[in-house]
Amino acid sequence: MKQLIVHGDAGFRRDDVIEVDGEELVCFGVNKQGDWHGPDEPQMWCTVGTEDERETYDKRQYVPNWLDTESVDAEDVEIVSEKNPLNV
């Protein structure tokens, strides 16, 4: 599990599967920063990990400040699959 800071809006949302640098990750949580008074482009601060780490995330059995942090541009993120509740 790690924190992923995406510069720009990559278009994914919570529970979507994304690919970054050839690694598939599940987006457990997203905080979008900078829409109103922020920088020129928004930033998405995400907690991502593998599906095996979902229970650890759900039960909050981790310390957010101790997670590794990676920063990427929105163009470097590919959406593998989306979980859209409106299409159910």
Side-chain angles (χ1 to χ4, degrees):
M1 195 175 340
K2 63 184 171 182
Q3 291 288 340
L4 183 67
I5 300 172
V6 181
H7 299 280
D9 189 350
F12 64 88
R13 300 295 175 250
R14 195 183 81 171
D15 292 330
D16 288 353
V17 178
I18 60 174
E19 184 175 326
V20 179
D21 294 331
E23 181 181 17
E24 282 194 9
L25 301 166
V26 178
C27 183
F28 299 132
V30 178
N31 291 318
K32 194 170 178 182
Q33 309 291 329
D35 270 343
W36 188 256
H37 293 293
D40 293 340
E41 61 183 7
Q43 292 181 349
M44 298 173 72
W45 291 48
C46 314
T47 304
V48 297
T50 62
E51 192 60 47
D52 297 340
E53 296 170 313
R54 180 174 294 281
E55 184 176 354
T56 302
Y57 176 81
D58 289 342
K59 292 184 177 183
R60 305 288 193 241
Q61 296 174 333
Y62 67 99
V63 179
N65 294 345
W66 293 355
L67 293 177
D68 291 336
T69 302
E70 185 178 338
S71 179
V72 298
D73 290 326
E75 302 87 44
D76 298 332
V77 178
E78 180 181 336
I79 301 172
V80 176
S81 67
E82 295 181 87
K83 180 180 178 185
N84 187 347
L86 299 177
N87 291 336
V88 175

